[in-house]
């Protein structure tokens, strides 16, 4: 990833390159060429939405949360399916309750 904002999002959420491409609905050539990613509205929105939770719970916890099933599913799956509303709701739950892991039944 050469685009700094896309790279920041990947680092903040622990996303792979392929996951970032899915979230931003982009192809690898767009990222390599640069510039185009900075104008993706979801990029700025996601950076804003995740800023406070990243500070509140820390990056290691945020990375784990992204891949842990919660009430709405796994946040990484919400994000890569571009269900930004559900992802925002999941972030709000994380901020309210913290990372809650329950034993599988």
């Amino acid at each position: 990833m050469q685009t700094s904002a896309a790279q920041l999002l990947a680092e903040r959420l622990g996303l792979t390159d392929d996951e970032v491409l899915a979230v931003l609905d982009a192809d690898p050539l767009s990222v390599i060429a640069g510039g185009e990613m900075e104008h993706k509205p979801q990029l700025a929105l996601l950076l804003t939405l995740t800023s406070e939770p990243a500070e509140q719970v820390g990056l290691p916890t945020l990375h784990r949360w992204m891949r842990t099933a919660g009430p709405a599913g796994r946040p990484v799956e919400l994000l890569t399916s571009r269900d930004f509303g559900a992802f925002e709701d999941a972030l709000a739950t994380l901020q309210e309750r913290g990372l809650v892991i329950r034993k599988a039944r």
Side-chain angles (χ1 to χ4, degrees), residues 20-92:
V20 172
L21 293 174
V23 170
L24 299 178
D25 191 27
D27 62 273
L29 292 177
S30 297
V31 176
I32 292 169
E36 292 179 34
M37 294 293 103
E38 302 299 328
H39 300 294
K40 295 276 188 176
Q42 63 270 39
L43 183 55
L45 175 68
L46 290 169
L47 287 172
T48 300
L49 284 175
T50 59
S51 177
E52 189 175 324
E55 289 179 23
Q56 183 180 356
V57 301
L59 291 183
T61 300
L62 192 58
H63 292 180
R64 184 167 182 192
W65 170 80
M66 284 291 295
R67 304 205 183 271
T68 301
R74 284 179 173 41
V76 70
E77 293 169 359
L78 298 173
L79 200 52
T80 57
S81 67
R82 302 174 46 80
D83 189 347
F84 300 121
F87 181 75
E88 184 176 7
D89 292 343
L91 276 171

